[in-house]
C-alpha cells in the first residue's frame, strides 16, 4: 500500500508544483468558461487529459514513442495559448455544446504532450523491468486526476466568488482570466529553447 502512496503523491505533486505552473495554467484555461452546474463536462475533460497523459507516458516508458524535449517544451505553452484564445471566441455564448469536440481534442492533445514532457523523469523514478511499470503508472495517473480535481474545484470557487460577490459577468470573467493566462504563457513560448536551433 505504501508504493501506491509514493506514486500517487508524485502524481499529485506533479500537478500542484508551483514551479511547473504550466499544468495549472492549462486547467485554469479549461475551467474558467464553466460553472459548478457543468461539473460532469469538466470531470470528463479532466479525465480525457489524464487518459492522454497516461497514454503518452505508457508509450514513452515502453519505448514506443520518443520525441525531443525542446519540441515538447515548446508545444506545452502552445496548447495553453490555443485553449485561452478559444475562450475569447466562445466567451459569453449561451451554449458550448457545438464546440465541445474541439475542447476535447485540445485537452487530449495537451495530455499527450504533457505526458511526453514528463516521461524522462518518470522513467528515472521507475527503473526496473517494463513489467513493473504498469501499476505505478496507474497510481501516478490517479494522483494526477486527484490534483486536477483540486485545481478545478479552486478555480470554480474563485469563479463563483467573482461572479456572485463582485458581480463580474461570466463573459468578463472568462475574457479577463484568458488574457491573464495568455500574458503568463507568451513569455514561455518566446523563451523556448526551440528558437535556439
Amino acid at each position: 500500500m505504501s508504493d501506491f502512496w509514493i506514486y500517487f503523491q508524485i502524481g499529485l505533486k506533479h500537478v500542484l508544483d508551483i514551479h511547473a505552473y504550466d499544468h495549472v495554467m492549462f486547467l485554469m484555461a479549461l475551467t474558467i468558461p464553466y460553472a459548478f452546474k457543468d461539473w460532469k463536462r469538466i470531470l470528463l475533460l479532466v479525465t480525457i487529459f489524464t487518459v492522454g497523459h497516461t497514454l503518452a507516458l505508457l508509450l514513452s516508458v515502453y519505448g514506443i514513442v520518443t520525441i525531443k524535449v525542446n519540441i515538447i517544451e515548446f508545444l506545452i505553452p502552445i496548447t495553453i495559448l490555443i485553449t485561452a484564445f478559444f475562450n475569447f471566441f466562445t466567451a459569453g455564448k449561451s451554449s458550448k455544446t457545438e464546440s465541445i469536440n474541439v475542447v476535447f481534442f485540445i485537452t487530449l492533445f495537451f495530455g499527450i504532450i504533457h505526458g511526453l514532457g514528463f516521461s524522462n523523469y518518470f522513467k528515472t523514478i521507475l527503473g526496473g523491468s517494463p513489467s513493473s511499470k504498469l501499476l505505478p503508472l496507474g497510481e501516478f495517473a490517479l494522483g494526477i486526476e486527484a490534483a486536477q480535481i483540486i485545481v478545478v474545484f479552486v478555480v470554480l470557487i474563485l469563479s463563483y466568488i467573482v461572479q456572485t460577490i463582485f458581480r463580474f459577468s461570466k463573459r468578463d470573467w472568462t475574457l479577463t482570466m484568458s488574457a491573464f493566462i495568455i500574458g503568463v504563457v507568451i513569455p514561455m513560448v518566446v523563451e523556448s529553447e526551440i528558437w535556439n536551433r
Side-chain angles (χ1 to χ4, degrees):
M1 194 63 176
S2 60
D3 278 355
F4 171 81
W5 284 113
I6 289 169
Y7 292 110
F8 182 85
Q9 285 179 0
I10 291 170
L12 202 65
K13 290 174 184 174
H14 171 57
V15 175
L16 301 178
D17 182 3
I18 193 74
H19 301 294
Y21 57 89
D22 58 328
H23 206 131
V24 173
M25 287 285 119
F26 178 77
L27 289 169
M28 285 173 63
L30 193 67
T31 307
I32 53 175
Y34 299 107
F36 278 109
K37 65 182 174 61
D38 304 310
W39 69 269
K40 286 181 183 174
R41 184 172 293 173
I42 298 166
L43 184 61
L44 184 59
L45 287 169
V46 167
T47 303
I48 284 172
F49 174 88
T50 306
V51 167
H53 194 284
T54 306
L55 178 65
L57 276 175
L58 189 66
L59 293 173
S60 180
V61 162
Y62 285 96
I64 298 166
V65 172
T66 53
I67 192 162
K68 290 183 178 178
V69 175
N70 62 343
I71 293 171
I72 293 299
E73 294 299 324
F74 175 72
L75 288 175
I76 287 171
I78 292 297
T79 56
I80 302 169
L81 278 179
I82 290 169
T83 308
F85 276 118
F86 181 76
N87 290 340
F88 273 109
F89 294 106
T90 58
K93 294 191 175 173
S94 57
S95 175
K96 289 191 143 258
T97 51
E98 313 83 30
S99 56
I100 198 68
N101 290 337
V102 176
V103 178
F104 283 162
F105 172 76
I106 296 289
T107 305
L108 182 64
F109 180 69
F110 183 84
I112 291 168
I113 294 300
H114 203 86
L116 289 172
F118 192 66
S119 61
N120 286 338
Y121 176 66
F122 192 71
K123 279 190 255 188
T124 305
I125 293 168
L126 286 177
S129 64
S131 61
S132 68
K133 296 175 182 176
L134 205 52
L135 188 59
L137 191 58
E139 295 161 350
F140 175 75
L142 287 173
I144 286 177
E145 186 80 352
Q148 290 181 148
I149 289 169
I150 291 167
V151 172
V152 165
F153 191 69
V154 169
V155 172
L156 288 174
I157 289 173
L158 185 62
S159 179
Y160 178 80
I161 291 169
V162 168
Q163 291 178 55
T164 306
I165 297 172
F166 297 104
R167 300 291 184 193
F168 262 62
S169 69
K170 184 178 176 180
R171 179 182 179 276
D172 289 347
W173 166 249
T174 303
L175 291 174
T176 302
M177 288 306 295
S178 294
F180 167 75
I181 291 164
I182 289 166
V184 171
V185 172
I186 282 177
M188 292 170 68
V189 175
V190 172
E191 293 164 12
S192 173
E193 290 182 16
I194 205 163
W195 306 117
N196 299 329
R197 294 182 73 192

